[in-house]
Amino acid sequence: MASPLIAIVGPTASGKSALALRLAREHAGEIVSCDSLQVYRGLDIGSAKATPAERAEVPHHLLDVVAPSEAFSAADYARLAREALAGIVARGRLPIVAGGSGLYVRALLQGLFEGPSRDDALRSRLEGIAERFSDVRLHRLLARVDPPAAARTSPNDRVRIVRALEVYWLTGRPISSLQGAGSRPLEGYRTLVLGIAPERERLREAVAARTREMIQRGLVSETEGVLAASGGVVPRPLEAIGYRQAVAVLRGDLDLAAAERSVVTDTMRFAKRQMTWFRHQATVEWFPNADEAHAAATAWLRAAPPAP
């Protein structure tokens, strides 16, 4: 008999983590983070990672997995998250996946194809094109060789554009066709995917409040510590929203007020891309707030057959 699994998705600051904690407390659950920043050790404030108190109360998984200097892929996430889910079910508890990383959600629930290993020389050449001519130029190149992949990838998402082009040149086949042919969906679970999509102005208010809190809690100091640990080299995770503004503050390129405004603006743009991704990639039951999503999850769990 399939085990119940709840996944909570949506844009940044929409209330996913709070809902996951609420459901975990009420239904003996454990939380599996689905966030591409929270896997990195030392990136606590800027990734809105669960607090030590929250982690002591409710077990959390897929936090602090690797150092910021280490590579970590969606395939790595899917493998570790599926192992975590199996362990949670074996303990007779409810697995709750929560996060806004769309690719990680797809990798976990739908699977990813086993693509070729990364080619650092090829990636360096592609990165050089982007640096010299812009990410948009790289995106146009992807559109010529793999239109479906280009259509679902933002022109500003250099990481995924580079990977798609890398796969094409190493295999001679578009990544869009390989993904469809080689993925292995998650099996053994009865899954409910809930989405929280607040009205845009309410979301902006939440993003602004979270950004202000992160800066007050020491986002810049946290970033400075990560930079010191990496010998001054900026690891890729520090290119994420929030951390890249903190790096700019440390370099003297932005003051705190300008950094805060920039984080809010960039986060809202990112939230729009997140919503576009989820609406095209997954079957999600959408709700305007966490309370309505909570009611739906509670009703679904009551109606679900018991786990084996």
Side-chain angles (χ1 to χ4, degrees), residues 1-109:
M1 187 177 296
S3 301
L5 165 64
I6 293 177
I8 305 170
V9 302
T12 299
S14 58
K16 300 182 297 295
S17 297
L19 175 57
L21 278 167
R22 183 178 178 185
L23 289 170
R25 290 169 179 141
E26 294 171 348
H27 301 281
E30 298 186 22
I31 297 171
V32 179
S33 168
C34 192
D35 187 289
S36 60
L37 281 181
Q38 293 184 359
V39 298
Y40 294 105
R41 292 189 290 271
L43 273 63
D44 301 333
I45 298 172
S47 71
K49 199 175 290 180
T51 66
E54 290 168 340
R55 294 165 72 171
E57 180 185 7
V58 173
H60 284 66
H61 305 268
L62 274 293
L63 302 179
D64 302 327
V65 178
V66 293
S69 58
E70 296 179 77
F72 191 85
S73 68
D76 294 326
Y77 173 81
R79 174 177 53 82
L80 293 174
R82 290 184 179 193
E83 291 175 1
L85 292 179
I88 294 169
V89 171
R91 287 187 289 276
R93 298 174 68 84
L94 173 68
I96 303 169
V97 175
S101 294
L103 183 60
Y104 281 15
V105 173
R106 189 178 75 182
L108 173 61
L109 300 181

Side-chain angles (χ1 to χ4, degrees), residues 71-157:
F72 191 85
S73 68
D76 294 326
Y77 173 81
R79 174 177 53 82
L80 293 174
R82 290 184 179 193
E83 291 175 1
L85 292 179
I88 294 169
V89 171
R91 287 187 289 276
R93 298 174 68 84
L94 173 68
I96 303 169
V97 175
S101 294
L103 183 60
Y104 281 15
V105 173
R106 189 178 75 182
L108 173 61
L109 300 181
Q110 301 176 27
L112 291 177
F113 80 105
E114 291 294 332
S117 300
R118 59 184 288 151
D119 184 313
D120 289 331
L122 175 56
R123 287 194 175 200
S124 180
R125 291 198 297 273
L126 293 170
E127 293 274 0
I129 293 173
E131 290 294 337
R132 185 176 179 185
F133 299 106
S134 80
D135 292 339
V136 174
R137 173 72 69 87
L138 211 60
H139 189 264
R140 289 197 196 109
L141 183 58
L142 177 61
R144 289 203 294 269
V145 301
D146 190 351
R152 67 174 183 241
T153 306
S154 166
N156 299 318
D157 194 342

Side-chain angles (χ1 to χ4, degrees), residues 4-303:
L5 165 64
I6 293 177
I8 305 170
V9 302
T12 299
S14 58
K16 300 182 297 295
S17 297
L19 175 57
L21 278 167
R22 183 178 178 185
L23 289 170
R25 290 169 179 141
E26 294 171 348
H27 301 281
E30 298 186 22
I31 297 171
V32 179
S33 168
C34 192
D35 187 289
S36 60
L37 281 181
Q38 293 184 359
V39 298
Y40 294 105
R41 292 189 290 271
L43 273 63
D44 301 333
I45 298 172
S47 71
K49 199 175 290 180
T51 66
E54 290 168 340
R55 294 165 72 171
E57 180 185 7
V58 173
H60 284 66
H61 305 268
L62 274 293
L63 302 179
D64 302 327
V65 178
V66 293
S69 58
E70 296 179 77
F72 191 85
S73 68
D76 294 326
Y77 173 81
R79 174 177 53 82
L80 293 174
R82 290 184 179 193
E83 291 175 1
L85 292 179
I88 294 169
V89 171
R91 287 187 289 276
R93 298 174 68 84
L94 173 68
I96 303 169
V97 175
S101 294
L103 183 60
Y104 281 15
V105 173
R106 189 178 75 182
L108 173 61
L109 300 181
Q110 301 176 27
L112 291 177
F113 80 105
E114 291 294 332
S117 300
R118 59 184 288 151
D119 184 313
D120 289 331
L122 175 56
R123 287 194 175 200
S124 180
R125 291 198 297 273
L126 293 170
E127 293 274 0
I129 293 173
E131 290 294 337
R132 185 176 179 185
F133 299 106
S134 80
D135 292 339
V136 174
R137 173 72 69 87
L138 211 60
H139 189 264
R140 289 197 196 109
L141 183 58
L142 177 61
R144 289 203 294 269
V145 301
D146 190 351
R152 67 174 183 241
T153 306
S154 166
N156 299 318
D157 194 342
R158 185 186 299 184
V159 172
R160 294 194 177 101
I161 294 171
V162 167
R163 177 55 178 167
L165 288 170
E166 177 185 45
V167 169
Y168 178 79
W169 271 306
L170 291 177
T171 67
R173 296 178 61 190
I175 192 172
S176 57
S177 66
L178 291 170
Q179 286 173 333
S183 60
R184 184 174 61 85
L186 181 67
E187 298 176 342
Y189 296 89
R190 179 174 179 265
T191 304
L192 173 66
V193 185
L194 300 169
I196 306 176
E199 184 271 332
R200 187 165 180 80
E201 191 53 41
R202 176 172 291 186
L203 181 63
R204 177 177 284 277
E205 292 173 0
V207 167
R210 173 181 285 189
T211 301
R212 192 173 307 114
E213 180 188 6
M214 285 179 173
I215 291 175
Q216 292 172 349
R217 288 179 56 203
L219 175 62
V220 175
S221 296
E222 178 175 271
T223 304
E224 188 174 26
V226 174
L227 283 172
S230 63
V233 177
V234 180
R236 184 174 293 278
L238 290 194
E239 296 174 5
I241 299 170
Y243 286 110
R244 67 169 174 256
Q245 284 86 356
V247 170
V249 170
L250 291 168
R251 289 175 170 172
D253 298 329
L254 287 176
D255 61 28
L256 278 177
E260 183 174 333
R261 291 192 298 271
S262 176
V263 171
V264 173
T265 298
D266 286 357
T267 300
M268 292 303 297
R269 290 173 180 161
F270 178 59
K272 184 177 180 179
R273 295 198 299 272
Q274 285 177 298
M275 289 301 300
T276 299
W277 171 276
F278 284 120
R279 292 195 189 280
H280 285 85
Q281 295 292 329
T283 301
V284 183
E285 293 189 31
W286 289 101
F287 299 90
N289 56 64
D291 286 339
E292 292 189 29
H294 172 267
T298 301
W300 181 84
L301 285 169
R302 287 173 179 165

